[in-house]
Amino acid sequence: MKVNLDTVANEPQFFAARGIAIPQHAANLRQIQHRTHRHPRWVHFGPGNIFRIFLARIADDALAAGEFWPITAVKSFSRPQLDCQLQNFDLLTTGVFAHANGQKDMRIIGGIGQALVAADQYEALKNIFVDADMSMVTFTITEKGYKLPADLTEVFQGDAVPIAFHSHTIFLVAGLLLARFQGGAAPINLLSCDNFSNNGDNLRAVLLQVADFWHGRGLVSQAFVDWLGQRDKVAFPNSVIDKITPRPADVIADYLQNLGLEDMGISQVKGATVAGFVNAEPTEYLVIEDAFAAPHPTFEKYGAHLASGETVKKFEQMKVTGCLNPIHTALAVSGAVLGYKTIDQALGDPVLRKLVDVLGYEEILPVVPDPKIVRPADFLAEAIEQRFSNSSLPDSPLRIAMDTSQKLPIRFGITLQQYLRRGRSLEDLVAIPLVFATWCRYLLGISDSGVAFAPSADPLREDLQSLFEGVYLGGDFDAHAILAPLLEDSSIFGVDLYHVGLGRKVEDLFVMMTQSEHAVKQTIKAQLEVFSQSRTSPSC
């Protein structure tokens, strides 16, 4: 059976017999999509996996409750990806929520009302932005999508604001906001749901940067720049989103096809792994700053939290700098070096399990903020016991280890800074230095069993790996000369590790880890045993 508007409306028994929920409004989906073309309300840029199984699910639930907030999904450039993921299924997504115990909850998600490719349908998109009834815009374009070229003059040439902003989503959105301003300047909300700090503030800053550049060249009025900067006219709430949504898994594709669903294979399209389904964990969090300028869905009715800006920041710090992301990175780099293919396999290693327990409960939790939405200890336990151990959603350590140099200053540096602010010594830390040393060992590109592997993509990978040229297992080398340029770099670790008493410790651990094959695991195990003994020994 093909998943499309006709089958969910006319063959509900097929889906019910296979335990697949369909939208309550399945019979009305075609009418909803037609109405969306005439009366768009919510636009989303970047309709990838987390959008299709989370934000589109919220829109689907809102439709079921009688709130008309179907989404116009916008792909900036790639129609083939949009076709494979959405258009081939009449904009429906098969969502698979895989539990750690093997249970799978499945539902057809129908929260999308139309889909556009900006490169081909700019005029239609501009008309949507001019429509005052469209008041909600969301984004999942990844953190890289917010980075502008150093010199905007390389992008914008000529005497007019370009219409075809196809080289960058931010330029596209800036042009669409200009059209909205010129068409009546109706208030609007722009909600970033990308997974990085102060995402709303960053979205506002880059859009204002483009507008200021245009104004400086006489291309737009000061009134447009002023309007864009008025928070009661154009709102940029900060948010935190949290849901592990790996690439489509072969095991899930096979499962769905064995149930009789057609076209559930996995494809490679323009370098992306895409499918008509999305596999994800059941756990999800979306915390949104309650700072809107225009009508919006009642997100809080459908699983999200509306909160103060301060609460959003605390939740983000708890997640990104404490109870989730650092644990993920620790499992990624150590799991990659030890040769594990999935995160859950890495966590199943008693030595790595002890490492993340000490990292989370002993070293991070004491300095993490409490957002009150969920207790940090409970959030941490859920991450370790349920989320990272979920073998139903195999995720590669090498995938998680991508861009580690960009992640360390936030995921670990903030914790180190919190220790310093509170006057606590860093010299007794064990797990954090072990993670740093393991990452350095990972950069060698040699597994703990002596097998060569390719470290994941990272903006600094070539520069970092060049530091370790000539280093090999069992070799004789000057660890300080090799590691000092890295360990003293506060842009990577958040602090100069030598200034805070950790540099030499990381050097010593790295030397231990390079003595022979299997030295990484042996070093981690030995250091954690010493830590445990120090905790159980009577005090002097």
Side-chain angles (χ1 to χ4, degrees):
M1 183 74 70
K2 175 84 171 183
V3 174
N4 58 34
L5 294 178
D6 289 333
T7 57
V8 297
N10 301 321
E11 304 289 344
Q13 67 281 357
F14 171 87
F15 297 98
R18 289 155 179 79
I20 304 173
I22 62 174
Q24 295 180 28
H25 45 284
N28 299 320
L29 281 171
R30 196 176 299 278
Q31 292 87 341
I32 288 171
Q33 291 188 4
H34 287 319
R35 185 182 171 193
T36 304
H37 284 261
R38 299 191 305 271
H39 303 291
R41 301 202 67 197
W42 178 355
V43 171
H44 181 85
F45 290 90
N49 291 337
I50 196 168
F51 159 75
R52 291 192 293 144
I53 204 166
F54 198 169
L55 296 177
R57 190 274 301 162
I58 288 175
D60 194 28
D61 287 349
L63 287 167
E67 286 193 59
F68 187 74
W69 285 99
I71 301 173
T72 297
V74 178
K75 195 78 175 175
S76 297
F77 320 113
S78 176
R79 180 169 294 281
Q81 289 181 10
L82 189 68
D83 289 343
C84 286
Q85 293 177 307
L86 288 172
Q87 296 285 24
N88 293 348
F89 304 92
D90 290 344
L91 307 184
L92 303 176
T93 292
T94 302
V96 181
F97 302 84
H99 296 257
N101 64 3
Q103 175 187 341
K104 295 177 180 64
D105 298 329
M106 296 172 287
R107 65 180 283 185
I108 307 300
I109 298 169
I112 300 174
Q114 65 177 325
L116 304 174
V117 176
D120 303 330
Q121 299 167 288
Y122 178 81
E123 288 301 319
L125 189 54
K126 185 173 74 170
N127 290 336
I128 290 172
F129 265 73
V130 172
D131 189 334
D133 287 336
M134 193 288 289
S135 58
M136 189 75 236
V137 184
T138 50
F139 300 81
T140 50
I141 58 176
T142 77
E143 185 174 359
K144 296 177 183 177
Y146 298 76
K147 297 186 184 301
L148 299 179
D151 184 1
L152 292 181
T153 59
E154 295 179 0
V155 180
F156 297 107
Q157 301 290 340
D159 298 325
V161 177
I163 294 300
F165 303 107
H166 306 325
S167 62
H168 202 296
T169 300
I170 294 299
F171 303 151
L172 168 66
V173 174
L176 293 168
L177 289 171
L178 176 61
R180 187 177 185 88
F181 172 75
Q182 293 171 335
I188 190 170
N189 308 306
L190 290 98
L191 173 63
S192 171
C193 295
D194 281 296
N195 189 19
F196 68 102
S197 298
N198 303 312
N199 49 18
D201 294 337
N202 278 276
L203 178 59
R204 179 177 187 269
V206 294
L207 285 168
L208 281 171
Q209 182 181 344
V210 173
D212 284 335
F213 174 80
W214 286 345
H215 179 254
R217 291 171 65 89
L219 302 176
V220 302
S221 67
Q222 181 63 47
F224 168 63
V225 179
D226 292 343
W227 174 77
L228 192 59
Q230 290 180 266
R231 297 180 187 273
D232 61 339
K233 302 296 184 183
V234 184
F236 296 92
N238 288 305
S239 76
V240 184
I241 194 167
D242 180 22
K243 188 175 186 69
I244 297 174
T245 310
R247 294 188 181 107
D250 289 332
V251 64
I252 301 296
D254 293 342
Y255 180 81
L256 293 174
Q257 292 182 119
N258 288 336
L259 287 178
L261 298 188
E262 296 179 18
D263 297 336
M264 288 295 160
I266 300 171
S267 303
Q268 296 295 322
V269 180
K270 292 186 175 295
T273 305
V274 298
F277 67 91
V278 177
N279 43 235
E281 62 173 347
T283 303
E284 61 186 23
Y285 296 93
L286 177 58
V287 184
I288 305 171
E289 183 181 9
D290 192 1
F292 296 95
H296 57 87
T298 52
F299 290 105
E300 65 274 22
K301 289 184 179 180
Y302 312 113
H305 300 267
L306 294 188
S308 68
E310 184 62 26
T311 296
V312 173
K313 289 181 180 179
K314 286 183 177 180
F315 185 90
E316 176 186 74
Q317 290 174 15
M318 178 198 70
K319 169 189 176 287
V320 176
T321 74
C323 298
L324 187 101
N325 296 49
I327 310 299
H328 220 182
T329 292
L331 286 170
V333 296
S334 60
V337 172
L338 268 59
Y340 290 110
K341 300 302 182 184
T342 63
I343 290 292
D344 64 283
Q345 290 175 358
L347 186 59
D349 186 316
V351 173
L352 298 190
R353 173 56 191 264
K354 179 66 173 178
L355 174 66
V356 299
D357 280 347
V358 172
L359 174 64
Y361 291 105
E362 302 290 343
E363 297 186 353
I364 292 177
L365 201 57
V367 295
V368 82
D370 184 355
K372 307 299 183 183
I373 292 173
V374 59
R375 292 180 63 246
D378 294 340
F379 188 89
L380 176 62
E382 180 184 55
I384 296 174
E385 303 291 344
Q386 299 178 35
R387 304 177 70 180
F388 296 148
S389 62
N390 190 343
S391 60
S392 298
L393 284 175
D395 209 351
S396 164
L398 284 172
R399 187 185 82 85
I400 303 302
M402 290 177 61
D403 303 331
T404 296
S405 71
Q406 311 299 293
K407 298 171 180 176
L408 290 176
I410 300 298
R411 298 188 178 191
F412 291 90
I414 300 297
T415 292
L416 299 180
Q417 292 166 15
Q418 285 293 334
Y419 269 80
L420 295 174
R421 290 191 187 100
R422 300 183 185 199
R424 301 181 59 164
S425 172
L426 301 179
E427 295 183 2
D428 293 332
L429 294 176
V430 174
I432 291 177
L434 279 169
V435 173
F436 292 166
T438 303
W439 178 56
C440 294
R441 174 66 177 75
Y442 157 92
L443 291 170
L444 286 182
I446 303 172
S447 76
D448 202 25
S449 58
V451 178
F453 71 92
S456 303
D458 188 300
L460 301 180
R461 184 174 66 180
E462 291 185 6
D463 291 339
L464 292 172
Q465 288 194 279
S466 69
L467 297 174
F468 299 94
E469 291 179 359
V471 177
Y472 56 92
L473 300 190
D476 186 18
F477 54 86
D478 185 340
H480 182 71
I482 291 169
L483 292 175
L486 175 58
L487 302 185
E488 68 187 11
D489 191 340
S490 60
S491 69
I492 291 179
F493 296 99
V495 295
D496 179 333
L497 294 183
Y498 294 102
H499 286 175
V500 298
L502 293 180
R504 292 291 184 178
K505 178 178 285 190
V506 174
E507 288 179 12
D508 292 342
L509 292 171
F510 177 77
V511 170
M512 295 177 196
M513 291 179 175
T514 55
Q515 291 302 297
S516 62
E517 293 179 5
H518 310 297
V520 175
K521 189 170 183 177
Q522 293 168 3
T523 299
I524 296 172
K525 182 179 180 180
Q527 293 296 309
L528 294 176
E529 287 176 349
V530 171
F531 172 82
S532 297
Q533 291 169 5
S534 69
R535 285 303 184 96
T536 57
S537 299
S539 58
C540 297

